[in-house]
Amino acid sequence: MTPYGILETALYVDDLDEAEAFYTEVMGLERIAKVEGRHVFFRCGDGVLLLFDPDKTVQPPAPDARLPVPPHGTRGAGHLCFRGTEDEIEQWKTRLEGRGIVIEADFEWPQGGRSIYFRDPAGNSIEIANPKIWGL
């Protein structure tokens, strides 16, 4: 057996309110769940983006927890890549720069496809790329 897709992706942020504003107002994602001070979740196509406060997710669940999710988390900048067409990437670049967000890199991959890279408020490296970069 082989998994056929990624259902969810997690990033860890130090300021959930700032991150929530970025992913709703700048990236246009729909918030689908929130627990104040712990996490905020967004729909992204047929997947979900999870944003966690790492100080909360490293704590084990209570013995009587309804959802006994094991501790998890990381420190430092993570990476997430959204998919986009060539036209969408150009539109994203214009939108992001219009909001004062620095594009750290913008290039064509040798095997085809373009990527742009920028940072979210927590310092995570965010990319928007054409799936051609992976032969998709």
Side-chain angles (χ1 to χ4, degrees):
M1 289 183 61
T2 302
Y4 68 89
I6 295 172
L7 178 61
E8 59 191 34
T9 298
L11 291 175
Y12 296 85
V13 301
D14 51 359
D15 185 328
L16 282 168
D17 292 333
E18 184 178 39
E20 180 180 5
F22 178 83
Y23 285 98
T24 55
E25 296 168 18
V26 176
M27 300 307 298
L29 298 180
E30 172 195 0
R31 188 184 82 193
I32 58 173
K34 181 177 183 176
V35 171
E36 196 66 43
R38 185 181 189 281
H39 66 252
V40 60
F41 300 161
F42 300 92
R43 179 153 332 282
C44 183
D46 62 357
V48 177
L49 171 60
L50 312 173
L51 299 180
F52 290 107
D53 176 337
D55 292 333
K56 304 296 183 197
T57 59
V58 295
Q59 299 172 14
D64 61 344
R66 183 175 65 87
L67 301 171
V69 176
H72 57 84
T74 188
R75 300 279 179 201
H79 174 68
L80 167 66
C81 180
F82 293 106
R83 65 171 52 213
T85 65
E86 299 296 326
D87 288 340
E88 290 168 337
I89 292 168
E90 189 59 36
Q91 291 170 21
W92 276 110
K93 182 177 180 182
T94 300
R95 178 179 178 151
L96 294 164
E97 289 176 333
R99 291 178 170 259
I101 296 168
V102 174
I103 304 299
E104 294 182 323
D106 178 351
F107 60 90
E108 298 283 333
W109 289 87
Q111 67 273 27
R114 176 182 176 194
S115 287
I116 59 171
Y117 289 80
F118 52 98
R119 300 281 167 172
D120 75 2
N124 291 301
S125 175
I126 308 301
E127 176 183 8
I128 302 175
N130 187 301
K132 291 179 198 174
I133 70 170
W134 291 110
L136 301 174

